[in-house]
């Protein structure tokens, strides 16, 4: 009886695509995994057929959203990235499949099913978090992947597309400093999310360069977007020496801040200046419109698709790292202070 790739894969505990890549000595498969698979092939007396040796890629790229019940679909950053990926994949005649789930296990299961059916050539992760189990799975299976963001653990071995978030955070803070603000706060998201941690680093760097002490009371990091009043935001804006300006990690969090400020009868920008990130439609619909850092979300997606396809078609390329430029869009949510710290 002829032994199949699926039988080899099952015994090795890997996907058929991993076995297929081992047959072609693909560099994405670790030496340890290759040796394990080759040993099983010998034990099972497997002889690769011409078909097995010439299996063609399915030209399918999985695009993975962050694990969430629905928040990912409410954030225009991800939608713009997906649009950029789709535009480039369509041009190159690749399929793009969007994957998400309520847990990491759900996402991994979906990826595993695609891989076992030999319908997965590469994966684009639209996010970067520390100790990500999805990345651990991809590495163990030898599946080619790309991050929009950075991998802190193995940066030299990872293909990634990103903004210079430290520089962007610093530029946003410098803008408020140049308007005369010295009591500036930062509102970010979960500290395991690398982009938020880097924007916070840029915020702290800007203050340090101007000799302004960093107050931990002015820094607030939230795991999720509050759906109702957040006590920590209320406390921050109710302080006697509250911040006069805030750098906010994205436009959605900025709107939560705007809602809280309104309930405390604080006017933007007269009582509080806000600068946010992503330059989404939300920033343009706000009253006043938000000053926001445009991170070129669609271009991030285009570059991500371009690089993953380049590495699929040229498997011996070294991991590439591309930084997409950002730019500040100035609107009405920031106002200049006088030298004595009061409104002009």
């Amino acid at each position: 009886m002829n032994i199949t790739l699926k039988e080899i894969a099952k015994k090795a505990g890997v996907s058929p695509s991993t076995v297929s890549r081992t047959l072609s000595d693909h560099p994405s498969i670790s030496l340890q995994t290759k040796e394990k698979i080759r040993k099983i092939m010998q034990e099972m007396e497997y002889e690769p057929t011409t078909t097995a040796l010439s299996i063609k890629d399915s030209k399918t790229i999985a695009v993975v959203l962050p694990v969430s019940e629905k928040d990912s679909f409410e954030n225009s950053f991800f939608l713009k990235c997906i649009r950029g990926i789709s535009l480039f994949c369509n041009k190159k005649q690749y399929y793009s499949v969007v994957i998400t789930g309520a847990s990491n296990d759900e996402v991994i299961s979906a990826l595993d099913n695609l891989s076992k059916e030999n319908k997965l050539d590469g994966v684009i992760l639209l996010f970067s978090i520390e100790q990500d189990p999805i990345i651990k799975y991809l590495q163990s299976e030898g599946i080619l992947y790309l991050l929009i963001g950075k991998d802190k653990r193995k940066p030299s071995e990872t293909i990634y597309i990103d903004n210079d978030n430290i520089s962007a955070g610093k530029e946003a803070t410098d803008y408020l400093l140049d308007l005369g603000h010295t009591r500036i706060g930062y509102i970010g998201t979960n500290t395991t999310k690398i982009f938020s941690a880097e924007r916070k680093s840029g915020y702290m760097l800007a203050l340090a360069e101007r000799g302004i002490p960093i107050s931990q009371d002015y820094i607030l990091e939230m795991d999720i977007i509050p759906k109702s009043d957040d006590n920590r935001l209320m406390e921050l804006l109710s302080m006697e020496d509250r911040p006069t300006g805030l750098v906010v990690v994205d436009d959605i969090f900025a709107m939560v801040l705007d809602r809280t400020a309104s309930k405390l009868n604080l006017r933007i920008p007269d009582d509080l200046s806000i600068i946010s990130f992503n330059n989404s439609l939300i920033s343009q619909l706000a009253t006043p419109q938000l000053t926001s850092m445009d991170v070129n979300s669609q271009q991030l997606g285009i570059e991500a698709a371009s690089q993953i396809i380049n590495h699929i078609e040229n498997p011996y390329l070294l991991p590439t790292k591309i930084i997409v430029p950002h730019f500040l869009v100035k609107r009405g949510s920031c106002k200049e202070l006088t030298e004595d710290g009061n409104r002009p």
Side-chain angles (χ1 to χ4, degrees):
M1 183 178 69
N2 292 331
I3 304 297
T4 66
L5 285 181
K6 287 186 177 180
E7 290 172 308
I8 298 290
K10 184 177 180 180
K11 186 165 184 179
V14 299
S15 67
S17 63
T18 300
V19 178
S20 175
R21 289 189 178 100
T22 297
L23 285 171
S24 61
D25 200 28
H26 198 288
S28 67
I29 310 300
S30 70
L31 181 60
Q32 182 180 5
T33 301
K34 286 177 182 176
E35 289 176 349
K36 176 183 176 182
I37 292 171
R38 286 165 182 162
K39 184 178 179 181
I40 290 172
M41 286 178 178
Q42 287 180 342
E43 291 172 353
M44 299 180 72
E45 298 181 351
Y46 172 76
E47 293 185 9
T49 63
T50 303
T51 303
L53 288 169
S54 62
I55 289 177
K56 295 182 179 179
D57 291 333
S58 61
K59 302 188 79 171
T60 300
I61 295 169
V63 182
V64 181
L65 283 159
V67 169
S68 171
E69 299 242 340
K70 62 177 181 176
D71 289 348
S72 300
F73 299 102
E74 296 174 352
N75 194 324
S76 66
F77 170 82
F78 298 118
L79 297 178
K80 287 182 179 179
C81 283
I82 290 170
R83 174 170 169 75
I85 291 168
S86 296
L87 287 171
F88 196 88
C89 284
N90 292 342
K91 181 180 177 182
K92 294 292 184 177
Q93 296 184 321
Y94 273 73
Y95 299 105
S96 57
V97 180
V98 177
I99 294 176
T100 189
S103 68
N104 288 314
D105 288 342
E106 279 189 27
V107 172
I108 291 171
S109 177
L111 290 170
D112 199 48
N113 288 336
L114 280 175
S115 182
K116 285 177 177 175
E117 293 175 6
N118 212 20
K119 295 179 180 177
L120 184 61
D121 293 281
V123 177
I124 296 174
L125 297 167
L126 297 181
F127 58 93
S128 176
I129 62 174
E130 296 179 2
Q131 305 300 318
D132 188 350
I134 298 173
I135 290 180
K136 186 176 179 181
Y137 160 77
L138 294 172
Q139 290 172 340
S140 68
E141 290 294 306
I143 297 171
L144 180 69
Y145 71 93
L146 175 149
L147 285 178
I148 293 186
K150 295 185 182 74
D151 187 347
K152 291 291 188 180
R153 293 172 300 173
K154 296 183 178 180
S156 63
E157 301 175 22
T158 305
I159 312 166
Y160 70 75
I161 312 294
D162 202 9
N163 303 111
D164 185 343
N165 282 300
I166 293 177
S167 175
K170 182 179 182 301
E171 187 176 329
T173 309
D174 280 335
Y175 180 68
L176 290 175
L177 288 166
D178 291 341
L179 289 176
H181 296 269
T182 55
R183 300 203 308 270
I184 301 172
Y186 176 79
I187 296 178
T189 186
N190 191 308
T191 53
T192 63
K193 294 181 179 177
I194 295 172
F195 74 92
S196 182
E198 290 190 339
R199 288 172 188 174
K200 176 184 171 184
S201 295
Y203 152 80
M204 297 172 74
L205 178 61
L207 294 181
E209 284 188 355
R210 305 284 183 108
I212 298 173
I214 297 167
S215 172
Q216 292 300 322
D217 292 337
Y218 288 174
I219 298 174
L220 178 59
E221 290 164 310
M222 299 180 280
D223 289 343
I224 59 173
I225 300 167
K227 301 301 182 185
S228 58
D229 292 344
D230 186 275
N231 291 333
R232 293 168 300 168
L233 267 180
M234 298 287 283
E235 290 172 5
L236 175 66
L237 297 183
S238 299
M239 294 171 60
E240 185 176 347
D241 58 344
R242 62 170 177 78
T244 61
L246 282 164
V247 177
V248 187
V249 73
D250 72 23
D251 295 336
I252 298 176
F253 278 91
M255 292 308 300
V256 174
L257 173 63
D258 179 272
R259 181 184 65 197
T260 305
S262 178
K263 290 187 177 182
L264 293 172
N265 294 317
L266 296 176
R267 296 168 299 168
I268 298 170
D270 294 328
D271 301 312
L272 181 67
S273 288
I274 298 175
I275 182 168
S276 60
F277 287 79
N278 290 348
N279 189 33
S280 65
L281 180 61
I282 291 173
S283 67
Q284 299 170 55
L285 295 177
T287 306
Q289 292 184 329
L290 288 171
T291 294
S292 188
M293 193 71 71
D294 194 314
V295 298
N296 276 312
S297 308
Q298 183 168 306
Q299 190 62 35
L300 284 167
I302 290 172
E303 295 291 347
S306 171
Q307 287 305 309
I308 195 76
I309 291 173
N310 196 19
H311 281 265
I312 288 169
E313 297 179 352
N314 302 278
Y316 292 95
L317 286 178
L318 292 174
T320 50
K321 296 93 174 60
I322 293 179
I323 300 298
V324 172
H326 59 267
F327 59 93
L328 183 62
V329 179
K330 300 176 184 178
R331 297 194 181 97
S333 64
C334 297
K335 194 170 183 178
E336 186 177 5
L337 294 181
T338 59
E339 291 184 3
D340 59 5
N342 295 315
R343 302 287 172 182

